[in-house]
């Protein structure tokens, strides 16, 4: 035996090969069907092109952008206050690609086409699988448009740059830029989701602008060109557009105190700031700030659904790829009955999340044309955000288990996905806020209940468990005495019933019956991988489209 042979400890085998580049749109059967079903099929070519990017270059950039966290540069080398955030080039490239393909503006650039919000939701879903942190500024830029439209003069200056497909990271006045991004500052230390507890004040100036004095506990994202912020005037809480650069070309009086040290979302910078007389212009009417900014919040809540659905999909992709190439006890993991149950259950949950998300995207898209769709969008964004975002951490963790120890190592993407998984359930109002918002809508806007049951009853008679669930929901909502106490259970079952109705009408009996039997009929345990004996596990897994 040679010396070289003597010290050979082992050969590397039974390891899954790298997933490699793939088309994240073309391989996703559930997404493609939902896009066509909800009216976004005309964007197929564009989505297919972005699917190649998101499953290729973007996926690779996502690793690098998250390995190199942003850094706060409070001063330049000469001692001048600059309050800038420095990013790795990978972050800028991700932003460039995201804006080039319209993750932030595709719906507004195609507003004349029905289904534009559905197509844009699919773009965001693909982007979020590859890189999650940049989803924050892209989402807020997208969702700021309806609010800014309340002020025609601001819209004239800002909207052409907000909807531009060019990413321009330079620090310049908006009139000198080819593209702009928008962030948001709502919450303060003492209030959190209770924005009525805010103390930041806005003072009217002679030229009609305002000076803002106060702070924001979460200011996302500090690299943007402007932010929508809440501040009090004598008339009440107002919404203001605060630019990074003042009209005279000087830096605005926004002082970054620190960047948040976050669980996940590492590529993105979130900050705490103080406003020392910062220049701003009012958006909409004085005292109507909450109503104005809620139009932005409604869209960001939809993006929470989109993002969490994307996380589910990517975790599922990683789990299925691994198990199709890894052997244990003499057989591929993916061929073993118990693993098949787990994979099929993850696939079913993901498909239901995508179905509900795209249906609500269609409702948002049609809300300006159809009052019933507007009512469904109003209720559905809160219901969907609550349930889909709650399900994501457990699903990602189950996908980690499919990889075993490798799923806990940073060289795979699963730890990043797991850190990211809780974010969307917290952002834009945690679970309790969503449930209370559902109750508020049902109480103050009776048309929302009509829209909800109209959607559910569209599948009446298709499955006995859905019919039974509809009856339960009617009784649960009629019993108002303890409704707030029970609201988590009620909203959860609303979400499941909506998903069941959508899937039944989608026409794939394997998916719809497996979902209704397990989620509505009780043929399921409390963890993933507990589908009943009759579930078509092989066919559910085959729809995932991963090799």
């Amino acid at each position: 035996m040679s010396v070289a042979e003597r010290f050979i400890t082992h050969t590397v085998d039974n390891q899954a090969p790298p997933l490699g580049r793939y088309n994240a749109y073309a391989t996703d059967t559930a997404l493609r069907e939902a896009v066509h079903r909800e009216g976004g099929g005309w964007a197929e070519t564009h989505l297919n092109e972005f699917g190649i990017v998101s499953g290729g270059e973007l996926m690779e950039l996502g690793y690098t952008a998250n390995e190199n966290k942003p850094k706060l540069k409070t001063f330049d080398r000469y001692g001048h206050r600059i309050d800038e955030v420095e990013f790795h080039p990978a972050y800028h490239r991700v932003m460039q690609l995201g804006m080039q393909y319209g993750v932030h503006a595709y719906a507004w650039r195609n507003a004349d086409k029905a289904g534009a919000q559905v197509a844009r939701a699919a773009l965001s879903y693909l982007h979020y699988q590859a890189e999650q942190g940049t989803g924050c500024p892209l989402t807020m830029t997208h969702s700021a448009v309806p609010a800014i439209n309340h002020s025609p003069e601001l819209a004239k200056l800002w909207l052409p740059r907000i909807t531009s497909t060019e990413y321009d990271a330079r620090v310049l006045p908006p009139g000198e830029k080819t593209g702009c991004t928008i962030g948001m500052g709502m919450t303060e230390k003492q209030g959190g989701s209770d924005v009525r507890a805010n103390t930041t004040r806005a003072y009217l100036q002679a030229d009609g602008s305002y000076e803002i004095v106060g702070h924001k506990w979460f200011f996302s994202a500090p690299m943007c060109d402007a932010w929508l912020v809440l501040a009090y005037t004598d008339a009440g809480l107002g919404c203001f557009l605060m630019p990074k650069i003042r009209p005279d070309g000087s830096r605005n009086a926004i002082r970054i105190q620190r960047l948040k040290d976050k669980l996940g979302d590492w590529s993105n910078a979130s900050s705490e700031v103080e406003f020392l007389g910062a220049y701003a212009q009012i958006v909409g009417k004085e005292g109507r700030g909450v109503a104005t900014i809620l139009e932005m919040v409604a869209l960001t809540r939809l993006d929470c659904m989109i993002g969490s659905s994307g996380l589910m999909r990517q975790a599922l992709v990683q789990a299925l790829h691994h198990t199709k190439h890894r052997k244990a006890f003499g057989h591929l993991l993916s061929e073993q009955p118990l693993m098949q149950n787990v994979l099929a259950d993850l696939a079913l949950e993901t498909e239901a999340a995508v179905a509900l998300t795209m249906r609500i995207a269609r409702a948002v898209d049609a809300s300006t044309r159809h009052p019933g769709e507007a009512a469904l969008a109003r209720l559905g964004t809160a219901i969907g955000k609550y349930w889909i975002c709650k399900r994501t951490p457990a699903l990602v963790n189950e996908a980690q288990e499919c990889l075993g120890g490798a799923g806990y190592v940073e060289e795979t993407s699963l730890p990043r996905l797991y850190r990211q998984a809780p974010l969307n359930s917290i952002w834009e109002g945690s679970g309790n806020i969503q449930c209370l918002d559902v109750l508020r809508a049902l109480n103050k806007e009776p048309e929302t209940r009509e829209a909800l049951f109209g959607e559910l009853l569209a599948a009446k008679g298709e499955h006995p468990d859905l019919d039974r669930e509809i009856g339960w929901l009617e009784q649960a909502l009629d019993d108002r005495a303890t409704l707030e106490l029970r609201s988590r259970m009620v909203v959860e079952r609303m979400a499941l019933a909506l998903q069941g109705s959508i899937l039944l009408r989608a026409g794939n009996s394997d998916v719809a019956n497996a979902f209704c039997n397990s989620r509505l009929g009780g043929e399921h345990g409390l963890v993933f991988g507990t589908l009943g004996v009759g579930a078509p596990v092989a066919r559910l897994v085959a729809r995932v489209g991963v090799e």
Side-chain angles (χ1 to χ4, degrees), residues 181-341:
T181 55
I182 305 294
M184 180 167 57
M186 290 177 62
T187 61
E188 298 180 10
K189 297 180 180 73
Q190 69 284 352
S193 295
D194 182 9
V195 295
R196 301 285 181 185
N198 285 6
T199 60
T200 295
R201 298 286 304 183
Y203 300 95
L204 181 62
Q205 304 300 297
D207 63 356
S209 67
Y210 288 78
E211 280 192 354
I212 310 292
V213 178
H215 82 282
K216 293 298 169 186
W217 181 235
F218 269 91
F219 193 66
S220 301
M223 75 292 293
C224 291
D225 297 288
W227 302 265
L228 288 176
V229 301
L230 293 177
Y232 272 103
T233 66
D234 292 340
L237 202 57
C239 178
F240 299 86
L241 184 67
M242 179 184 294
K244 177 179 285 188
I245 303 298
R246 296 167 57 92
D248 64 7
S250 64
R251 290 178 179 270
N252 211 349
I254 305 166
R255 299 290 181 260
I256 301 177
Q257 303 304 303
R258 62 173 176 171
L259 300 184
K260 296 289 191 182
D261 188 5
K262 299 169 295 183
L263 171 66
D265 211 32
W266 284 354
S267 67
N268 178 47
S270 300
S271 62
E272 299 171 28
V273 297
E274 290 182 349
F275 307 135
L276 306 180
Y279 171 90
Q281 292 172 283
I282 195 161
V283 179
K285 297 179 180 179
E286 274 198 356
R288 296 289 297 165
V290 173
T292 301
I293 210 163
L294 277 179
E295 294 189 50
M296 182 179 190
V297 169
L299 289 175
T300 54
R301 285 179 176 177
L302 173 59
D303 271 28
C304 289
M305 297 169 62
I306 297 167
S308 290
S309 299
L311 283 178
M312 288 185 182
R313 169 65 187 181
Q314 186 53 215
L316 172 62
V317 166
Q318 297 293 330
L320 186 53
H321 173 73
H322 179 86
T323 56
K324 281 190 170 185
H325 294 88
R326 175 80 168 178
K327 287 184 178 180
F329 312 113
H331 300 279
L332 287 172
L333 287 171
S334 62
E335 295 174 351
Q336 300 185 25
L338 189 53
M339 181 60 79
Q340 286 181 333
N341 196 322

Side-chain angles (χ1 to χ4, degrees), residues 1-75:
M1 178 183 295
S2 68
V3 173
E5 292 173 325
R6 180 184 175 192
F7 292 106
I8 294 176
T9 60
H10 67 290
T11 58
V12 178
D13 59 9
N14 195 26
Q15 291 288 324
L19 178 58
R21 295 191 171 200
Y22 69 103
N23 187 326
Y25 179 72
T27 56
D28 193 336
T29 302
L31 175 63
R32 287 187 289 106
E33 290 180 356
V35 166
H36 283 267
R37 185 169 64 243
E38 307 302 349
W42 52 265
E44 178 87 2
T45 299
H46 187 73
L47 290 170
N48 194 64
E49 290 175 358
F50 191 59
I52 296 170
V53 174
S54 61
E57 183 181 0
L58 267 182
M59 203 70 68
E60 295 161 5
L61 289 167
Y63 283 94
T64 306
N66 282 273
E67 288 174 348
N68 297 272
K69 295 182 182 182
K71 299 176 182 178
L72 175 60
K73 300 294 183 181
T74 311
F75 298 91

